[in-house]
Short mmCIF file of all heavy atoms in Angstrom, two decimals:
data_model
loop_
_atom_site.label_atom_id
_atom_site.label_comp_id
_atom_site.label_asym_id
_atom_site.label_seq_id
_atom_site.Cartn_x
_atom_site.Cartn_y
_atom_site.Cartn_z
N ALA A 1 0.82 -1.21 0.00
CA ALA A 1 0.00 0.00 0.00
C ALA A 1 0.85 1.26 0.00
O ALA A 1 0.35 2.34 -0.32
CB ALA A 1 -0.94 0.00 1.20
N LYS A 2 2.13 1.16 0.32
CA LYS A 2 2.98 2.34 0.34
C LYS A 2 3.10 2.98 -1.03
O LYS A 2 3.26 4.18 -1.15
CB LYS A 2 4.38 1.97 0.86
CG LYS A 2 4.42 1.71 2.34
CD LYS A 2 5.82 1.36 2.79
CE LYS A 2 5.84 1.07 4.27
NZ LYS A 2 7.18 0.70 4.74
N ASP A 3 3.01 2.18 -2.10
CA ASP A 3 3.17 2.68 -3.46
C ASP A 3 1.86 3.22 -4.04
O ASP A 3 1.88 3.82 -5.11
CB ASP A 3 3.72 1.58 -4.36
CG ASP A 3 5.08 1.10 -3.90
OD1 ASP A 3 5.81 1.90 -3.28
OD2 ASP A 3 5.42 -0.07 -4.16
N ARG A 4 0.74 2.98 -3.39
CA ARG A 4 -0.55 3.40 -3.92
C ARG A 4 -0.73 4.91 -3.80
O ARG A 4 -0.38 5.51 -2.80
CB ARG A 4 -1.69 2.70 -3.19
CG ARG A 4 -1.71 1.21 -3.46
CD ARG A 4 -2.86 0.55 -2.80
NE ARG A 4 -4.07 0.97 -3.50
CZ ARG A 4 -5.27 0.60 -3.13
NH1 ARG A 4 -5.44 -0.19 -2.11
NH2 ARG A 4 -6.33 1.00 -3.80
N LYS A 5 -1.28 5.49 -4.82
CA LYS A 5 -1.53 6.93 -4.84
C LYS A 5 -2.92 7.26 -4.29
O LYS A 5 -3.10 8.28 -3.66
CB LYS A 5 -1.43 7.48 -6.27
CG LYS A 5 -0.09 7.18 -6.94
CD LYS A 5 1.00 8.01 -6.34
CE LYS A 5 2.28 7.81 -7.11
NZ LYS A 5 3.38 7.30 -6.36
N GLU A 6 -3.89 6.41 -4.57
CA GLU A 6 -5.26 6.69 -4.17
C GLU A 6 -5.51 6.17 -2.75
O GLU A 6 -4.91 5.19 -2.33
CB GLU A 6 -6.25 6.04 -5.14
CG GLU A 6 -6.12 4.53 -5.20
CD GLU A 6 -6.78 3.94 -6.41
OE1 GLU A 6 -6.69 4.54 -7.49
OE2 GLU A 6 -7.37 2.87 -6.27
N PRO A 7 -6.37 6.84 -2.00
CA PRO A 7 -6.63 6.38 -0.63
C PRO A 7 -7.40 5.07 -0.63
O PRO A 7 -8.14 4.76 -1.57
CB PRO A 7 -7.48 7.51 -0.04
CG PRO A 7 -8.10 8.18 -1.22
CD PRO A 7 -7.13 8.02 -2.36
N ALA A 8 -7.23 4.30 0.42
CA ALA A 8 -7.92 3.02 0.56
C ALA A 8 -9.39 3.28 0.87
O ALA A 8 -9.76 4.28 1.48
CB ALA A 8 -7.29 2.19 1.66
N TRP A 9 -10.23 2.36 0.45
CA TRP A 9 -11.66 2.47 0.71
C TRP A 9 -11.95 2.15 2.17
O TRP A 9 -11.39 1.21 2.73
CB TRP A 9 -12.42 1.50 -0.20
CG TRP A 9 -13.89 1.53 0.03
CD1 TRP A 9 -14.78 2.44 -0.46
CD2 TRP A 9 -14.67 0.61 0.81
NE1 TRP A 9 -16.04 2.15 -0.04
CE2 TRP A 9 -16.00 1.03 0.74
CE3 TRP A 9 -14.36 -0.51 1.56
CZ2 TRP A 9 -17.02 0.36 1.39
CZ3 TRP A 9 -15.38 -1.18 2.21
CH2 TRP A 9 -16.70 -0.74 2.12
N ARG A 10 -12.76 2.96 2.79
CA ARG A 10 -13.16 2.73 4.17
C ARG A 10 -14.68 2.75 4.25
O ARG A 10 -15.31 3.65 3.69
CB ARG A 10 -12.62 3.82 5.10
CG ARG A 10 -11.12 3.92 5.13
CD ARG A 10 -10.53 2.78 5.97
NE ARG A 10 -9.11 2.93 6.18
CZ ARG A 10 -8.19 2.37 5.42
NH1 ARG A 10 -8.54 1.65 4.40
NH2 ARG A 10 -6.92 2.53 5.69
N PRO A 11 -15.28 1.80 4.93
CA PRO A 11 -16.75 1.81 5.07
C PRO A 11 -17.20 2.96 5.96
O PRO A 11 -16.51 3.33 6.90
CB PRO A 11 -17.06 0.46 5.70
CG PRO A 11 -15.81 0.05 6.39
CD PRO A 11 -14.68 0.65 5.60
N SER A 12 -18.37 3.51 5.63
CA SER A 12 -18.91 4.62 6.41
C SER A 12 -19.78 4.13 7.56
O SER A 12 -20.09 4.89 8.47
CB SER A 12 -19.75 5.53 5.51
OG SER A 12 -20.93 4.85 5.10
N GLY A 13 -20.20 2.88 7.48
CA GLY A 13 -21.11 2.36 8.50
C GLY A 13 -22.55 2.35 8.02
O GLY A 13 -23.42 1.80 8.67
N ILE A 14 -22.81 2.99 6.89
CA ILE A 14 -24.15 3.01 6.32
C ILE A 14 -24.09 2.16 5.05
O ILE A 14 -23.51 2.59 4.04
CB ILE A 14 -24.61 4.45 6.00
CG1 ILE A 14 -24.55 5.29 7.28
CG2 ILE A 14 -26.01 4.45 5.40
CD1 ILE A 14 -24.72 6.77 7.05
N PRO A 15 -24.67 0.96 5.07
CA PRO A 15 -24.52 0.03 3.94
C PRO A 15 -24.93 0.62 2.60
O PRO A 15 -24.25 0.39 1.60
CB PRO A 15 -25.40 -1.15 4.32
CG PRO A 15 -25.50 -1.11 5.80
CD PRO A 15 -25.42 0.35 6.16
N GLU A 16 -26.02 1.38 2.55
CA GLU A 16 -26.47 1.94 1.28
C GLU A 16 -25.42 2.88 0.70
O GLU A 16 -25.14 2.83 -0.50
CB GLU A 16 -27.80 2.71 1.46
CG GLU A 16 -28.97 1.84 1.85
CD GLU A 16 -29.06 1.58 3.35
OE1 GLU A 16 -28.32 2.23 4.14
OE2 GLU A 16 -29.84 0.71 3.75
N GLU A 17 -24.83 3.72 1.55
CA GLU A 17 -23.80 4.65 1.06
C GLU A 17 -22.54 3.90 0.64
O GLU A 17 -21.90 4.27 -0.33
CB GLU A 17 -23.47 5.68 2.13
CG GLU A 17 -24.55 6.72 2.32
CD GLU A 17 -24.16 7.76 3.36
OE1 GLU A 17 -22.98 7.84 3.73
OE2 GLU A 17 -25.06 8.49 3.78
N ASP A 18 -22.19 2.85 1.41
CA ASP A 18 -21.00 2.07 1.07
C ASP A 18 -21.15 1.40 -0.29
O ASP A 18 -20.24 1.44 -1.11
CB ASP A 18 -20.72 1.01 2.14
CG ASP A 18 -20.33 1.63 3.48
OD1 ASP A 18 -19.95 2.81 3.49
OD2 ASP A 18 -20.43 0.92 4.49
N VAL A 19 -22.32 0.81 -0.52
CA VAL A 19 -22.57 0.15 -1.80
C VAL A 19 -22.59 1.19 -2.91
O VAL A 19 -21.99 0.99 -3.97
CB VAL A 19 -23.90 -0.65 -1.76
CG1 VAL A 19 -24.31 -1.10 -3.14
CG2 VAL A 19 -23.77 -1.84 -0.83
N ARG A 20 -23.25 2.31 -2.65
CA ARG A 20 -23.34 3.36 -3.67
C ARG A 20 -21.95 3.88 -4.01
O ARG A 20 -21.61 4.03 -5.18
CB ARG A 20 -24.23 4.49 -3.16
CG ARG A 20 -24.57 5.52 -4.22
CD ARG A 20 -25.52 6.62 -3.73
NE ARG A 20 -26.71 6.08 -3.11
CZ ARG A 20 -27.03 6.27 -1.82
NH1 ARG A 20 -26.27 6.99 -1.03
NH2 ARG A 20 -28.13 5.74 -1.33
N SER A 21 -21.12 4.14 -2.99
CA SER A 21 -19.79 4.70 -3.25
C SER A 21 -18.91 3.72 -4.02
O SER A 21 -18.01 4.12 -4.74
CB SER A 21 -19.12 5.10 -1.94
OG SER A 21 -18.76 3.96 -1.20
N THR A 22 -19.18 2.43 -3.86
CA THR A 22 -18.40 1.43 -4.57
C THR A 22 -18.95 1.17 -5.97
O THR A 22 -18.20 1.06 -6.94
CB THR A 22 -18.38 0.11 -3.78
OG1 THR A 22 -17.86 0.37 -2.49
CG2 THR A 22 -17.53 -0.93 -4.47
N MET A 23 -20.27 1.07 -6.08
CA MET A 23 -20.89 0.65 -7.33
C MET A 23 -21.11 1.78 -8.33
O MET A 23 -21.04 1.54 -9.53
CB MET A 23 -22.23 -0.04 -7.03
CG MET A 23 -22.10 -1.31 -6.20
SD MET A 23 -20.97 -2.52 -6.87
CE MET A 23 -21.85 -3.06 -8.32
N VAL A 24 -21.35 2.99 -7.87
CA VAL A 24 -21.63 4.09 -8.81
C VAL A 24 -20.48 4.31 -9.77
O VAL A 24 -20.70 4.41 -10.99
CB VAL A 24 -22.03 5.38 -8.05
CG1 VAL A 24 -21.98 6.60 -8.95
CG2 VAL A 24 -23.42 5.22 -7.45
N PRO A 25 -19.22 4.40 -9.31
CA PRO A 25 -18.14 4.57 -10.29
C PRO A 25 -18.07 3.41 -11.30
O PRO A 25 -17.84 3.64 -12.49
CB PRO A 25 -16.87 4.61 -9.43
CG PRO A 25 -17.33 5.01 -8.08
CD PRO A 25 -18.71 4.47 -7.94
N TYR A 26 -18.30 2.19 -10.81
CA TYR A 26 -18.30 1.04 -11.72
C TYR A 26 -19.41 1.17 -12.75
O TYR A 26 -19.19 0.98 -13.95
CB TYR A 26 -18.46 -0.25 -10.92
CG TYR A 26 -18.76 -1.45 -11.78
CD1 TYR A 26 -17.77 -2.07 -12.53
CD2 TYR A 26 -20.07 -1.93 -11.89
CE1 TYR A 26 -18.04 -3.15 -13.34
CE2 TYR A 26 -20.35 -3.02 -12.70
CZ TYR A 26 -19.34 -3.62 -13.42
OH TYR A 26 -19.63 -4.69 -14.23
#
């Protein structure tokens, strides 16, 4: 992970938002 430029994904605790934040870009 030291070489990664983008931040790691972290869950917000709200499943709908987590799914949305992951799936919308896809």
Side-chain angles (χ1 to χ4, degrees):
K2 287 180 181 179
D3 299 333
R4 293 183 70 182
K5 304 288 186 240
E6 60 197 40
W9 178 81
R10 299 284 187 266
S12 68
I14 303 169
E16 295 84 10
E17 287 182 14
D18 294 341
V19 169
R20 190 177 308 116
S21 70
T22 303
M23 297 306 291
V24 166
Y26 168 77

